Amino acid sequence: KKKKDLQNKTSEDSEPRQGSTSTFSVVAVVIVVIALTIGLSDKTFGRNDEIVWAPLHESQISNYTVTRFKKVEVKVVKDFFPPKLAEKWRDELHRMWKKGDYKKDPHGWRFTSNNNGLAGVQTNQKYRSLKDIPLRTQVANDMHRQGSFSYAKWELLPSNELVKEIKQFMLREETRSRVATMFGHKAELFSSEVMNDMFVTNYDTHNFLSDHDDGASGTYAFVVSLAKGPEWKQGWGGQLEFGCDDKRVCQSFAPTFNSLVAFQTRAVGDEYVYGPIHRVVQVDPQAGDNGFFRFGFTGWYSDSRDSMTELELDALEQMRGSND
């Protein structure tokens, strides 16, 4: 009888238990869901909170001087972002650009200008639209030749998920701290709640941005290159150029992948600062012919001590633009 009882017990132990099987199934499903979520996050750019990078050291900052009534420093840091992150952003921009047929994407690329096709209208209202592109390009070129501020380029709509992600990343404390270090400040001087403006761009063939300063945009400007393709060559256009009081170009920066250029554009407190005059040189067809794409993004931090007038706030709202 003892032997029989032992056999029965062994038989019972060898049979699968319903509860254990259910628990195992649930755990397996959870593991699969987590794995799929991680994979999806990689594709939708949702895991940037895990990125940790070392503080910026002063030795990594290159300083250049331009003159507008007084000396203004332009700061440059190469390899500003973690390489894999910058590559991910660049490759996604390229994918969206090469996909074409932008009308099908309600959050995608739009031709961007500060005219709606009406000649002779002086405005800084930004228009993002796929309408009347040849006409708006012609008006932008005419305005440029006449000495008026103008531009012709492409931007992703602000509702695009990649634009949202980049903006969120630029507002992280670690990112603000790195930019603040470039100016010898502390991160708390940079507003952590809002960014005055930020947009993601592609300067395609014949696109340009004429001479201007950023007086009503924000306190500190940053220009990031996410260029894709071979190393930039002289004659391809797309440089970020700075002018001095004598009207000459005194600093020129080629669009180099993962570089960040920053400069102060407004006075803070009792400072005497005028934002430097700068422009983006018209992109030559050679750039596209050689597979070079001038992707990037531009934005402005606002110093917590900076206060804009109502007139300046109205100008800023115009520059943020309208979408069609």
Side-chain angles (χ1 to χ4, degrees):
K1 183 178 179 181
K2 288 182 180 180
K3 184 176 181 181
K4 186 176 181 180
D5 290 342
L6 181 61
Q7 288 176 341
N8 290 339
K9 185 177 187 303
T10 303
S11 176
E12 289 173 2
D13 289 344
S14 65
E15 292 178 1
R17 298 178 183 178
Q18 186 65 36
S20 299
T21 303
S22 301
T23 302
F24 177 80
S25 300
V26 171
V27 172
V29 170
V30 170
I31 292 173
V32 171
V33 169
I34 291 174
L36 289 174
T37 302
I38 291 174
L40 181 62
S41 297
D42 284 339
K43 292 180 181 178
T44 55
F45 312 100
R47 301 186 67 204
N48 292 333
D49 285 342
E50 299 177 9
I51 293 175
V52 178
W53 50 353
L56 187 68
H57 192 271
E58 290 184 3
S59 63
Q60 298 172 259
I61 306 168
S62 299
N63 295 292
Y64 302 86
T65 301
V66 299
T67 305
R68 189 183 180 196
F69 306 112
K70 64 174 294 186
K71 291 182 179 180
V72 180
E73 285 193 334
V74 177
K75 318 278 189 172
V76 180
V77 173
K78 295 181 179 180
D79 300 320
F80 184 85
F81 296 98
K84 288 185 178 180
L85 178 65
E87 290 166 5
K88 184 177 68 170
W89 287 345
R90 176 201 62 195
D91 293 345
E92 177 63 6
L93 289 172
H94 184 250
R95 184 194 67 79
M96 288 189 285
W97 179 257
K98 295 299 288 183
K99 185 172 63 174
D101 199 5
Y102 307 131
K103 290 182 179 179
K104 290 185 178 180
D105 188 349
H107 309 289
W109 293 104
R110 296 294 185 270
F111 182 72
T112 305
S113 64
N114 63 328
N115 74 81
N116 62 356
L118 298 176
V121 178
Q122 301 294 317
T123 177
N124 200 19
Q125 174 69 46
K126 176 183 287 188
Y127 297 94
R128 299 184 188 93
S129 174
L130 295 175
K131 296 178 181 178
D132 303 319
I133 294 176
L135 176 60
R136 289 163 58 208
T137 301
Q138 182 61 51
V139 171
N141 282 306
D142 290 343
M143 291 170 64
H144 190 193
R145 281 191 292 269
Q146 295 164 8
S148 300
F149 172 61
S150 66
Y151 53 83
K153 55 181 176 174
W154 291 80
E155 291 185 9
L156 285 177
L157 289 174
S159 58
N160 187 278
E161 288 301 316
L162 182 57
V163 176
K164 292 179 185 178
E165 179 193 321
I166 292 174
K167 185 173 183 179
Q168 183 182 28
F169 196 87
M170 294 305 293
L171 285 172
R172 285 173 50 140
E173 184 176 355
E174 300 97 318
T175 313
R176 291 186 296 110
S177 179
R178 288 172 73 85
V179 178
T181 299
M182 297 173 71
F183 292 97
H185 294 328
K186 295 182 178 180
E188 54 262 29
L189 295 179
F190 291 72
S191 172
S192 60
E193 298 178 358
V194 295
M195 187 177 294
N196 279 23
D197 195 12
M198 197 207 80
F199 44 81
V200 177
T201 58
N202 179 30
Y203 282 81
D204 197 19
T205 299
H206 300 308
N207 289 175
F208 68 93
L209 172 64
S210 72
D211 294 7
H212 67 289
D213 62 20
D214 294 332
S217 300
T219 322
Y220 306 99
F222 59 84
V223 181
V224 175
S225 173
L226 294 175
K228 182 176 179 65
E231 185 178 353
W232 178 87
K233 289 182 172 56
Q234 191 70 37
W236 287 5
Q239 308 99 300
L240 175 62
E241 292 188 339
F242 289 83
C244 285
D245 287 336
D246 54 7
K247 306 298 183 184
R248 66 186 173 90
V249 174
C250 48
Q251 294 295 345
S252 181
F253 302 101
T256 304
F257 173 70
N258 201 12
S259 62
L260 183 144
V261 180
F263 49 97
Q264 188 170 342
T265 59
R266 289 171 53 83
V268 177
D270 296 329
E271 288 181 324
Y272 177 66
V273 174
Y274 287 88
I277 300 295
H278 55 285
R279 67 186 180 188
V280 174
V281 178
Q282 190 173 57
V283 176
D284 191 271
Q286 294 180 76
D289 292 344
N290 285 277
F292 185 85
F293 298 87
R294 195 194 183 283
F295 299 124
F297 60 91
T298 300
W300 293 264
Y301 289 109
S302 181
D303 193 295
S304 59
R305 301 164 297 175
D306 191 359
S307 179
M308 287 191 174
T309 66
E310 287 296 324
L311 189 62
E312 289 171 332
L313 290 172
D314 289 342
L316 174 60
E317 194 59 35
Q318 278 194 327
M319 288 186 284
R320 286 173 175 160
S322 60
N323 308 314
D324 186 359

